[in-house]
Amino acid sequence: MSNTNSLLADPEILRELIMDHYQYPHHHKLKEDDRYMMKHMASDSCIDDIKVQARIENGIIEDVCFDGVACTISTASTSMMTELLRGKTTAEAKEIMNNYFNMVDAKEYDGDILEEAIAFKNVYRQANRIKCATIGWRAMQELIEESEKGNE
Amino acid sequence: MFDVEKIRQDFPMLRNRPDLLYFDNAATTYKPQAVIDAVCEFWTGYTSNVERGDYETAVKADRAYDHTREIIGRFINCDPKEVVFTANISHSLNQIAFGIGRWLKEGDVVLTTEAEHASNLLPWFRLQEDKGIKIEYVPVDRQGVCHIEDFKKAMHDGVRVVTMAHVTNVLGSLQPIKEIAAVAHEYGALMVVDGAQSVPHRPTDVKELDVDFLGFSSHKMCGPDGVGVLYGRYDLLQKMDPIFLGGGMNARFQPDGSIIYKDAPQKFEAGTPNIEGVIGLGAAAEYLMNLGMENIQAYEKELRAYFAEKIRKLDNIEFYNPDNVSGPITFNAKGVFSQDAAGYLGSKNICVRSGNHCAKILHEVIGTDQTLRASLYFYNTKEEVDRFIEAAKDITLENAIGIFF
């Protein structure tokens, strides 16, 4: 996979990115607002327990945020997801998500559209951590599906 | 003398995987060759179902299966007919709660602690929901110990059952079961003990402890998976209803729905049991008794003290149970989420467990949700502890993330 941004090919930079998103997660606060849908991800394992919220209006992801107790990989991957999907249409978001899920399953993917989330490209080598790297992303996938059902 | 190097030769996992450092013995244990042989002999020499077989191998299987009851009887000092085979201790505790539940009425109290494993709480929670019983908790100290004075204060006439682990699974707190059982019995309450983390590591004498029910699992004491033991005082077992009904547990039944159960222990063993597992458990208990449970206890105590002394000196480690003399070493690397730390140790071939260890309500007591647990068995060594300590010094957030690159 080629990356236009050569910085994202440097393992040191990618490691720093994960650490940074873990120590200072982005959009790490839930909203008290009826326009937000929420998904609680707590039944996968006894360890991670996170909530993801999204405000999706007219097919546009206006806001995504999250909170909870989780490991580095869960926290950082969810933090990057909120950054990457904000402002995207649900169609664009699905394209990004499909590539992300392919990447962590060691299948073909387009690294360029994943931006910083490329940091998780090796997570498939630690099979027990794939769940961690996808927990927030799967929550968002369900929220998008729900929003689409609501619009039918 | 406890010759650990000689003992290690009995374990194929230790011989075949010298690269691994296995400190996850509270989860499951390695198997000695004697156990593997016992299982294989059944599979390769006398495979048959048990009960009512009128041919040679069936009779042999029957005898081997029942022989394990005698071995377990010697192992925990009870009558062989007080030994019920289950699938694991979760099954044992579910059977105990179900059976006792049929004797309880609304408002009756089950007294336990906040340091219990899920398998000794959830079956009682269900009785709370189904029968309106009440669950009350004796406070434990910061290392999970239930003190007899606190227990006496919490005890009252409404308590019908007292249930707790002899040694708790997260902090290794050794509870004063004998004293607690004596108080429970003064009030006419039943005493149930979760022996999952105690029976494999110390001598257990159900008569001396004077407990009414005890459960433990085979796989945590060098035996096969899928087998557990339920010890019950015989008069109580005879009165108790089985949770599973079916073949092998009834003497006769009629079209009108009337059933005559067999006597205990067969009454509790519906369906074809895990025959090879039970035979393997017998071999495991024999193996442990040959080493001597007192010797195992003394060796592990010394090894744990050595480990505690070393780990408490590490600046990057928070160590939660320094004062407990038994059970796991429970800790965290400062600033590193427990699963990330376990992943880092795993990348160095060091096997420990992270998480809340199925004891989710304990965090309020020790002030953290997630811990790492390094749990020893008699085949572990001081050299392994040294190797562990060297690796533990390097558990940092940077190194933990580094395993993904």
Side-chain angles (χ1 to χ4, degrees):
Chain A
M1 298 303 146
S2 73
N3 248 301
T4 45
N5 185 344
S6 64
L7 284 176
L8 292 179
D10 181 350
E12 274 308 309
I13 301 273
L14 295 177
R15 182 155 76 169
E16 289 295 324
L17 274 172
I18 294 178
M19 278 181 68
D20 201 56
H21 275 272
Y22 174 64
Q23 290 177 308
Y24 311 102
H26 301 192
H27 314 116
H28 196 239
K29 188 174 177 12
L30 297 178
K31 305 275 166 58
E32 300 250 353
D33 184 333
D34 291 347
R35 294 174 299 168
Y36 285 75
M37 299 181 298
M38 188 169 76
K39 206 82 214 171
H40 187 187
M41 304 294 276
S43 55
D44 253 10
S45 79
C46 66
I47 295 184
D48 296 312
D49 184 346
I50 70 164
K51 287 174 178 162
V52 176
Q53 271 185 333
R55 178 160 65 84
I56 302 173
E57 284 168 4
N58 304 318
I60 311 246
I61 299 165
E62 300 286 353
D63 191 15
V64 195
C65 50
F66 77 109
D67 199 3
V69 177
C71 70
T72 328
I73 301 302
S74 304
T75 304
S77 65
T78 306
S79 172
M80 287 183 196
M81 180 274 288
T82 66
E83 202 56 62
L84 206 50
L85 300 189
R86 285 173 137 225
K88 298 283 193 305
T89 66
T90 52
E92 288 166 338
K94 280 195 226 171
E95 178 67 13
I96 294 169
M97 294 170 105
N98 284 339
N99 276 286
Y100 183 80
F101 289 130
N102 281 346
M103 176 181 75
V104 296
D105 278 342
K107 294 180 191 152
E108 286 283 305
Y109 66 97
D110 175 1
D112 289 339
I113 70 166
L114 292 178
E115 301 183 21
E116 291 179 354
I118 196 85
F120 296 99
K121 64 183 175 187
N122 291 330
V123 84
Y124 68 88
R125 290 186 200 156
Q126 313 279 338
N128 60 324
R129 303 306 291 280
I130 291 174
K131 274 185 182 174
C132 309
T134 55
I135 184 169
W137 291 73
R138 281 180 285 122
M140 192 59 201
Q141 190 177 35
E142 289 181 36
L143 288 173
I144 289 175
E145 280 167 15
E146 265 176 47
S147 82
E148 289 177 339
K149 268 186 212 150
N151 290 338
E152 271 168 17
Chain B
M1 185 52 213
F2 202 78
D3 186 350
V4 68
E5 286 310 322
K6 185 164 170 286
I7 288 166
R8 286 173 70 86
Q9 291 306 309
D10 295 336
F11 288 81
M13 273 298 292
L14 295 172
R15 292 201 312 267
N16 297 338
R17 295 298 305 269
D19 54 322
L20 290 182
L21 200 166
Y22 187 74
F23 280 180
D24 196 15
N25 292 289
T28 201
T29 55
Y30 286 170
K31 319 303 173 196
Q33 191 64 47
V35 169
I36 297 165
D37 289 345
V39 172
C40 284
E41 275 166 33
F42 169 70
W43 276 339
T44 55
Y46 60 103
T47 300
S48 313
N49 210 328
V50 286
E51 291 185 60
R52 296 182 327 277
D54 294 314
Y55 49 94
E56 180 227 323
T57 55
V59 171
K60 192 172 175 190
D62 239 359
R63 283 194 183 146
Y65 182 82
D66 276 330
H67 183 52
T68 297
R69 281 192 227 280
E70 290 164 33
I71 297 168
I72 297 300
R74 277 189 280 126
F75 188 59
I76 61 170
N77 191 28
C78 69
D79 195 296
K81 69 186 183 187
E82 294 176 315
V83 175
V84 176
F85 296 123
T86 60
N88 45 45
I89 184 180
S90 296
H91 176 182
S92 303
L93 290 166
N94 273 275
Q95 168 63 58
I96 293 165
F98 171 87
I100 292 177
R102 292 197 145 197
W103 305 333
L104 299 179
K105 58 182 193 308
E106 193 178 341
D108 284 346
V109 172
V110 173
L111 184 59
T112 185
T113 81
E114 288 186 347
E116 299 309 309
H117 187 279
S119 62
N120 195 26
L121 282 178
L122 272 50
W124 304 103
F125 284 179
R126 176 164 282 176
L127 291 180
Q128 191 169 3
E129 193 185 321
D130 289 354
K131 301 217 46 164
I133 65 135
K134 285 201 309 199
I135 295 170
E136 294 178 0
Y137 301 93
V138 191
V140 293
D141 69 16
R142 282 187 62 81
Q143 304 212 23
V145 178
C146 170
H147 296 279
I148 187 72
E149 305 77 44
D150 293 327
F151 179 77
K152 282 179 180 166
K153 276 183 219 154
M155 194 66 197
H156 57 84
D157 288 331
V159 176
R160 306 316 308 143
V161 183
V162 174
T163 183
M164 68 180 73
H166 195 174
V167 171
T168 64
N169 74 313
V170 179
L171 293 173
S173 336
L174 175 65
Q175 311 296 25
I177 291 296
K178 188 178 172 183
E179 290 76 13
I180 285 172
V183 176
H185 288 150
E186 276 173 34
Y187 284 82
L190 292 168
M191 185 72 210
V192 178
V193 174
D194 165 359
Q197 302 294 348
S198 60
V199 171
H201 301 281
R202 55 177 45 245
T204 303
D205 181 330
V206 293
K207 296 277 188 298
E208 199 240 333
L209 293 171
D210 194 19
V211 301
D212 300 303
F213 294 97
L214 169 79
F216 55 97
S217 278
S218 152
H219 71 98
K220 292 191 201 292
M221 50 175 278
C222 299
D225 299 319
V227 179
V229 169
L230 185 178
Y231 155 79
R233 224 178 66 202
Y234 197 68
D235 60 314
L236 295 170
L237 287 182
Q238 284 292 68
K239 277 199 289 182
M240 183 174 268
D241 284 330
I243 195 165
F244 294 134
L245 308 179
M249 56 75 65
N250 72 82
R252 51 192 52 80
F253 57 92
Q254 301 293 334
D256 68 359
S258 62
I259 314 171
I260 298 172
Y261 298 149
K262 285 187 182 168
D263 285 333
Q266 282 78 17
K267 175 172 71 173
F268 297 101
E269 296 174 6
T272 295
N274 183 347
I275 304 166
E276 67 270 18
V278 167
I279 291 168
L281 167 64
E286 290 272 31
Y287 181 84
L288 296 180
M289 285 191 282
N290 284 337
L291 292 178
M293 291 310 293
E294 288 86 0
N295 298 333
I296 288 172
Q297 183 184 16
Y299 177 81
E300 287 183 20
K301 186 179 173 187
E302 189 191 328
L303 188 61
R304 190 190 190 281
Y306 179 80
F307 198 158
E309 196 47 43
K310 294 250 167 178
I311 198 168
R312 78 196 316 162
K313 290 187 184 138
L314 300 187
D315 294 333
N316 65 325
I317 298 293
E318 183 152 12
F319 175 25
Y320 297 105
N321 55 353
D323 299 335
N324 286 341
V325 294
S326 57
I329 297 281
T330 306
F331 66 101
N332 268 319
K334 291 173 188 163
V336 186
F337 196 78
S338 64
Q339 198 184 6
D340 296 314
Y344 173 71
L345 291 172
S347 75
K348 303 287 172 201
N349 284 333
I350 295 175
C351 313
V352 298
R353 193 144 294 248
S354 70
N356 53 27
H357 314 297
C358 300
K360 290 174 196 286
I361 59 180
L362 182 65
H363 64 273
E364 284 167 23
V365 179
I366 60 171
T368 184
D369 270 311
Q370 314 285 345
T371 60
L372 288 167
R373 182 178 77 175
S375 50
L376 307 170
Y377 211 12
F378 57 82
Y379 43 64
N380 291 124
T381 65
K382 287 184 180 172
E383 290 70 35
E384 288 180 316
V385 170
D386 292 341
R387 186 180 146 199
F388 176 91
I389 293 292
E390 285 310 306
K393 287 176 185 169
D394 294 331
I395 310 174
T396 60
L397 183 57
E398 204 164 26
N399 284 339
I401 296 170
I403 68 169
F404 295 98
F405 296 97

